[in-house]
Structure formats: C-alpha cells, structure tokens
Amino acid sequence: MRCDVVVVGAGPGGSMAAKAAAMAGLDVIMLEKRQEIGDPVRCAEGVSKASLKEFLPSIDPRWIAADVKGAKLYAPDGTCLTMSEDKAGAEVGYVLERKVFDRSLAAEAAKSGARIMVKTRATGLLFKDGKICGVKTIRFGEALDIESHIVIGADGVESKVGRWAGIDTTLKPKDISTCAQFLVEDKSIDSNYCEFYFGNRIAPGGYIWVFPKGDNLANVGIGIVGSKSEPGLPTKLITNFVQERFPKGKAVEMVVGGDPVAGVMETTTADGVMLVGDAAHHTDALTGGGILNAMRAGVIAGEVAAKAIAAGDVTKAGLKEYEDRWRAAISRNLERSYEYKEFLLKLTDEDLNKLLGPLAAEDISKMDLRGMIRLMFKLNPKLLWELRQLVV
C-alpha cells in the first residue's frame, strides 16, 4: 500500500494532522491500533472554550458533556479558592465526551480525504537505502507494509515512532505522571465547577481532579509523578479519595495510564518523521493537559508535510518549519509550566497551605495563573523567590 503521509494514532493530534494534510491535497492514511477510536478515554476531558473554538468554530453539542462556570482549588487544609472558567486555564470550560469528540475529528479527517484504518498496529518503520519510507503494520492479524514520504507519530506517551526514528523520547521518573481515573456517579457532584485537590498526603507530586460530566457523573482522577509513585499507588490513593469525597458514589468505569510532564524536547523531527501531541511531549507539565496543544501541533504537521513533499525535501532540514512553528506557538508556555512543576515538587503541605491560604481573602476569580503567582509572590516572597523571573 502506498500514500504520501501515514499518521500513526487517531487521537486529536493525529486527526488534525490527517485532516490538514488531506485538505492540502495529499494522499493520507491514519492508523489506529484499537478497534474503536476514542476508547478507552485516558483523559480528564477538560478544555477551555475559547481555545477549542480557535480550531473548531462550530461546536457540536454532542461533544460537550458539561459546560462549567469555573474551577475550585483546594489546599491541603481544605481552603477553597474559586476561579472563573475563562481564567482557570486550558483544561477548564468544557468537559468533553472524548469518545464522541475523537470520532468526530477522525470523521472530519475522512471527509477531507484521509483513509482511516482501525485495528492496525504500527510495528516498525520501513527503510529504503537507509531512509525512512513508511511503516510496517499488523492489520487484522496480517502483516501490511505502507509506503509513504512522511510518517507523523501521534501515538501517545508510549510512542514508538519516535524511538524507531532515533528521536530521544526518554522520560525520567519525575517527568511522567502515573494516573488513575474513575467515572463516578453521585448526586452530590457539583456540575458547575471543575475541582482540583492538592496535597502530598492525597496526591504526592501531583493533584486530584473532579470534572463533572452531567447526569450526576464526573471524572475523578489522580496524577502523581513517577519519582513519588510506586506500583498500585495511584489507584489506592484515588480509591481512598472517592470513598471520602463521595461515600455513596458508584464507580462505573476505570482507566489507568501515563502522561508526560516533561520539558520541551530537543527535537521532534527526523528524516521523514514528525511527532505531535504526547509523543512530542506537548503536554502541559503543570496540569497534564494536552488536547489543544496536540491539535495545534497536528495542524502544523499536516501543513508542513504538504510543503515538504511539494518541495521534494522530507529530510529533517526540510521539516524545520514544523519545529519552528510549534515552538513559537507553545514552547514558552511549556517551559514555564515545567518550571512551576519542578518548584511545586519541593513544597510540603505546610508550604502549600501558606501559599493558597492567604488567597482566600483576595478576589482571584478573574485572575489567570500568572496573576495568581504574582499575588502569591507578593504575599510570600521568600517561599517563591525561585520563581521571581516568572512573575515579571
């Protein structure tokens, strides 16, 4: 089988890449190793409304499980801070129904001309005269080689495309978040707010989230850095939290997985290869969110693929525009979030209470994260001295 571009992975980043490349006139094949796109959902499913509308001006109501007013942040001692949804970050606004959302994005890629192949697992890269020229796959139990000019790796945190292409995608234990999430049914769920709980007792090196999904349902999950985790710990901690927070709640689904919370990768390209989304560590290290960054990088990758193929140069140098554009768009925010994350890993619960407690007496409802950091710096200059360069 032959095409211009193979996209490995049919998440939001992969689908946006496939759509952009197909709209540019390329012959595109998108692979999904599972038999169903969008399932299982390894995501809290939150996105900001404004950012989502940048890519998708027309929002399909079927995508939206909940439309929230804002976020509530809980310190270890129980102090609660409330932020409006437009200031609470890229993960607050809409809570998506990812099973529907992901399939809709894949369908849009198909309408644009991309071919979708589910239950097709990439098993390696094809090489000709030492150059990458496609992917090896297993489809319905049989081997199938797909030749292409470019391979776009959108295959998640466990990405193999990058490793096969010689790109260093290694994650240190402190740069990967180990996660577990329940879909909980309980009448006490607040449908108006996403909730975030901090504290080393309940979530060492991370946080717990409660994202409402309507009909008395919520994603209740935990992410903790690998350097502070051990086998089974995320599941144990989130089970304890659910029993305390929702004693009458019923878990109707459960997923586990990993999330990159690393700094910016040195490179996300190789000859004939581009990485997007979690595969490229495009995830925000502070929040663990990555849907919108993956979509943005996917669009760029699809557009650059078309230009590189038209120019007859799919080498790393020929794909430099991809590196330049995604870095200009999101690398500064990724780097800043990583510095915040590294700082927060050092804090005790007492430190967190000192930082968050005084904010309860302030009006932070319309402050964004940087505004909150500036205020916390003003109230606790000694504790936040390390972050002084980030608050100017």
Side-chain angles (χ1 to χ4, degrees):
M1 188 176 289
R2 293 180 176 85
C3 63
D4 294 317
V5 175
V6 173
V7 180
V8 181
S15 288
M16 295 300 282
K19 178 182 177 180
M23 289 182 68
L26 298 184
D27 183 5
V28 181
I29 295 176
M30 181 166 67
L31 311 179
E32 172 54 53
K33 65 183 180 182
R34 298 182 179 89
Q35 62 188 24
E36 293 183 66
I37 291 172
D39 193 20
V41 176
R42 292 174 176 169
C43 177
E45 303 182 276
V47 295
S48 85
K49 298 172 186 174
S51 296
L52 185 63
K53 290 175 181 177
E54 286 181 30
F55 302 103
L56 305 166
S58 179
I59 304 299
D60 189 329
R62 295 176 303 166
W63 302 343
I64 311 303
D67 184 342
V68 300
K69 294 180 179 178
K72 291 184 177 180
L73 283 61
Y74 290 87
D77 64 3
T79 299
C80 178
L81 310 175
T82 302
M83 302 177 69
S84 62
E85 59 89 8
D86 59 317
K87 298 296 183 181
E91 283 68 56
V92 176
Y94 289 134
V95 180
L96 299 174
E97 192 61 69
R98 281 286 303 273
K99 293 178 182 178
V100 178
F101 181 72
D102 285 20
R103 291 168 193 172
S104 294
L105 294 187
E108 286 299 312
K111 290 176 184 177
S112 299
R115 287 179 279 172
I116 315 298
M117 297 171 61
V118 297
K119 207 167 178 60
T120 307
R121 180 185 297 272
T123 59
L125 296 177
L126 292 174
F127 290 86
K128 185 177 182 179
D129 298 328
K131 298 180 180 179
I132 294 169
C133 62
V135 295
K136 301 175 182 179
T137 77
I138 296 293
R139 176 171 169 78
F140 301 135
E142 297 185 0
L144 172 66
D145 290 349
I146 305 175
E147 296 180 3
S148 67
H149 298 295
I150 290 176
V151 177
I152 296 177
D155 49 338
V157 63
E158 69 276 14
S159 176
K160 295 180 179 178
V161 171
R163 296 201 300 273
W164 293 334
I167 300 173
D168 184 6
T169 59
T170 305
L171 287 165
K172 299 176 182 178
K174 70 182 183 67
D175 290 336
I176 185 168
S177 185
T178 58
C179 308
Q181 177 175 274
F182 291 112
L183 179 61
V184 174
E185 189 277 330
D186 190 273
K187 292 182 179 179
S188 70
I189 290 169
D190 186 344
S191 62
N192 292 315
Y193 290 91
C194 292
E195 299 175 358
F196 299 85
Y197 295 80
F198 303 93
N200 288 290
R201 181 184 66 82
I202 62 169
Y207 66 92
I208 285 174
W209 62 85
V210 178
F211 280 23
K213 296 198 65 178
D215 297 325
N216 297 322
L217 293 170
N219 288 327
V220 184
I222 185 172
I224 58 180
V225 294
S227 57
K228 294 194 175 185
S229 187
E230 59 187 45
L233 183 59
T235 302
K236 177 182 177 181
L237 290 175
I238 196 60
T239 298
N240 292 342
F241 176 83
V242 170
Q243 290 174 346
E244 292 179 12
R245 175 68 176 81
F246 303 106
K248 296 182 180 180
K250 298 177 181 178
V252 295
E253 288 184 17
M254 180 186 179
V255 291
V256 296
D259 203 18
V261 287
V264 175
M265 283 175 58
E266 182 177 343
T267 184
T268 58
T269 57
D271 291 349
V273 172
M274 291 180 279
L275 303 181
V276 304
D278 283 2
H281 302 177
H282 286 155
T283 313
D284 187 291
L286 183 63
T287 66
I291 296 172
L292 298 170
N293 284 347
M295 292 173 68
R296 180 172 284 108
V299 172
I300 296 170
E303 293 174 348
V304 171
K307 291 182 180 180
I309 291 173
D313 184 3
V314 298
T315 65
K316 182 178 175 65
L319 301 176
K320 184 176 182 298
E321 182 185 340
Y322 172 65
E323 294 277 10
D324 293 342
R325 287 176 60 186
W326 81 251
R327 290 177 191 277
I330 64 175
S331 67
R332 185 179 179 187
N333 286 338
L334 292 179
E335 290 167 353
R336 183 183 292 123
S337 289
Y338 187 74
E339 291 190 52
Y340 287 146
K341 184 211 78 171
E342 289 291 279
F343 174 77
L344 290 172
L345 285 178
K346 304 173 186 177
L347 300 182
T348 65
D349 284 3
E350 182 180 356
D351 292 333
L352 289 169
N353 290 331
K354 287 180 180 179
L355 287 175
L356 298 176
L359 295 182
E362 306 285 342
D363 182 9
I364 66 162
S365 62
K366 294 295 182 180
M367 288 186 186
D368 59 12
L369 177 61
R370 291 195 71 191
M372 283 183 60
I373 295 290
R374 289 192 192 99
L375 180 56
M376 285 191 288
F377 185 84
K378 181 180 178 181
L379 297 172
N380 297 275
K382 292 183 179 179
L383 191 56
L384 290 177
W385 188 247
E386 286 183 43
L387 299 182
R388 62 192 181 279
Q389 77 278 6
L390 297 178
V391 300
V392 296

